[in-house]
Amino acid sequence: MRQTGTKIKKRHMGKGLLAAVSLALVLGGCGQNEPAAGSASPAASPAAGASSGESGDGIKVGILHSLSGTMAISEVSVKDAEMMAIDEINAKGGVLGKKLIPVVEDGASDWPTFAEKARKLLSEDKVATVFGGWTSASRKAMLPVFEELNGLLWYPVQYEGLESSPNIFYTGATTNQQIVPAVSWLLENRGKKMYLLGSDYVFPRTANKIIKAQLAAEGGELAGEEYTPLGHTDYTTIISKIKAAKPDIVFNTLNGDSNVAFFKQLKDAGISAADLTTLSVSVAEEEIRGIGADVLEGHLAAWNYYQTTDTPENKTFVEAYKAKYGADRVTADPIEAGYDAVYLWAAAVEKAGSTDVAAVKEAAKELEWDAPEGKVKIDGETQHLYKTVRIGEVQADGQFKEVWSSGEPVKPDPYLKTYAWASGLSSGS
Amino acid sequence: MDVFWLQLFNGISVSSILLLIALGLAVTFGQMNVINMAHGELIMVGAYATYMTQKLFQSYLPASWFSQYFLLSIAASFAAAFLIGLLLEKTLIRFLYGRPLDSLLATWGVGLVLQQLARSIFGAPNVGVKSPSWLEGGLSVTQGLVLPYKRLFILALVAVCLLAMFLYIYRTTAGRRMRAVMQNRDMAACLGISTRRVDSLTFAIGSGLAGIAGCALTLIGPIGPTIGTYYIVDAFMVVVLGGVGKLVGTVFGALGIGMTNTLFEYWTTASLGKVLVFLCIVAFLQWKPKGFVAMRTRSLD
């Protein structure tokens, strides 16, 4: 009986599968190209004459972020900010009298894809530089490609430090510009007992290794340490453990969607910011929108930039970003760092008079720029930025109120050489 | 002692969420044998339908009505996922019955398409859904034991869904037809049942249940284009462990995974807990390959 059934259907099967596959291909293709093409067009229009390949009157720059997959949640906005910086530079006449032509590639939240696309950008498109990456895993995947082909990568996100490649400029914070000062501030102001909660991958584990060494040196106490897989969505058990450990502070290095689940469930468990201090290093304005300001109100975060940071440059930056991408969009630290990266590279190229990697690197040394976050300076030795550290408290409107700031840009120290307690950490890497 | 009761409640709560996400799959995979990899994305559809309902209430209705939006959004997310499921069945799935591997690939593709579609419509970042005020807070049993209303609500919602499915499958004409078709398609067709219509309806109902799960998940988790990917593996595990083809098996599957997961996670860590749960499932399926409740019928041979 079943035989006849399948036999009858067999006639339709070929057609059905063909239809399915072609539908998936067509729709998938549209979906994949849509964001890249959509955002590339405004930038490409002023330089319409100089389409790809024609680099005589234009300079090609690569943009490599995850536009699909799980990391698209964060990276699409950084790409938007970088495209905006390129548009602004082009509107002012470009770099060395040439327009910038962005070549946008999708890393697809997949680390080997990042390496592959980086190789494509460098050897096929022959881009002058690449702005891209978010997760440390994507940066570590791209690093050997940039070193091998002597390319230049501008990486815009705060990270765990202990790295300094001659082919990468790091425009996000390293640990001594975010985590280390945040821990010191917490120990002084909020208590000694700290619970470490993070996603289970390289950044939280390295960050927590550093924090544990710092706690031991500065008189803090470790109440517990817990890691959850990326994308973990049930935190009730972790919250029970936190309740049992009774810490003063939860230092949160969770990444991505897990933050939403953790904070919603923390609130449901009846724990508010008044009962327990939490400080996050991966929750910015963009994430607050997805979690809900009512859930996060009163919780802390450490960054170098907030949308509310009070500088004239930031006012223009926020206005331009909202005018371009919609009034409901928000700016955040990595978005600003991506924007800075484009301007810093452009300034270095102008100073060098060429896009040659060695010349640009030489020119970039000690280069200063008035960024939306305030003055930043490239440290020639480590190729990181001097950045101001800020601790902010989430307000009811989803914006941060600055509660503490370092007052001046802090010199980057990715290997924490200036901290005696950190001497055992960097040797391992 | 409070911790024990709290963990017991957490275990039941996790089980109820697992059951809710797996219930739709128990219908589409369990009853129809379609390996529906787009099930997670139907959950996402439900979550976004909730978000849209909230938006509509905020824009067009007085603020005092806002807290009631959630009840309507349950219906809206069911309807949205139901319609998409129906469309999916009519245009794609019906060509793939009896070919599990092809349906696996095709529905996975559909899942990717839906994800990217959501990203194009709603943007890549997560969106926020404000929980209704009557679900804020919790029931204080003792000082240290607070049962969040949201969790209790989800428990109740699961119970209602389960009861409704039970009544539908075992007490209505449509449900009887569905069982007849799933058990012996040719015989049912001979008796004058329009198997094609039953297939469409069954798949759409399974999809609609995924929508309700998506609606409930907005209370406790993220709402973004990729949320489906977080739940799809768990959903399949529940159905396979429970035994393909029986709703009551799915209930046991969800309880088994939810309770052991909570227990192991409390004793060890979240990552290790998950590994141990996987190991237990593998061991269990070695012992009982058909899951908790095996379906005894010739059609599954």
Side-chain angles (χ1 to χ4, degrees), chain B residues 190-222:
Chain B
C190 286
L191 292 170
I193 295 173
S194 167
T195 56
R196 186 150 284 174
R197 196 178 298 159
V198 169
D199 285 339
S200 300
L201 191 64
T202 311
F203 191 83
I205 288 176
S207 305
L209 286 172
I212 293 183
C215 177
L217 288 173
T218 61
L219 293 174
I220 54 163

Side-chain angles (χ1 to χ4, degrees), chain A residues 292-327:
Chain A
D294 57 322
V295 176
L296 271 179
E297 196 180 344
H299 290 287
L300 302 176
W303 290 104
N304 306 108
Y305 164 89
Y306 299 110
Q307 186 175 317
T308 50
T309 298
D310 189 19
T311 65
E313 287 80 12
N314 187 33
K315 215 166 156 247
T316 9
F317 170 64
V318 173
E319 272 168 17
Y321 191 80
K322 283 179 180 275
K324 195 168 166 68
Y325 298 112

Side-chain angles (χ1 to χ4, degrees), chain B residues 75-148:
Chain B
S77 45
F78 179 83
F82 183 92
L83 288 176
I84 289 185
L86 196 66
L87 187 75
L88 199 60
E89 204 277 341
K90 293 271 188 207
T91 55
L92 183 66
I93 307 287
R94 74 184 171 107
F95 301 108
L96 300 170
Y97 287 127
R99 301 163 63 194
L101 281 181
D102 295 339
S103 73
L104 185 148
L105 274 180
T107 51
W108 190 58
V110 169
L112 291 180
V113 171
L114 287 174
Q115 274 181 32
Q116 200 62 39
L117 211 60
R119 209 168 275 135
S120 305
I121 299 172
F122 299 101
N126 284 338
V127 295
V129 167
K130 204 168 155 36
S131 316
S133 50
W134 48 275
L135 282 178
E136 296 293 348
L139 186 70
S140 297
V141 182
T142 63
Q143 186 68 36
L145 184 60
V146 181
L147 311 182

Side-chain angles (χ1 to χ4, degrees), chain B residues 20 54 80 98 130 248:
Chain B
L20 193 58
Q54 175 199 253
K130 204 168 155 36
V248 62

Side-chain angles (χ1 to χ4, degrees), chain A residues 400-412:
Chain A
F400 283 98
K401 189 182 86 184
E402 189 178 297
V403 294
W404 177 82
S405 133
S406 63
E408 55 179 354
V410 174
K411 183 177 162 56

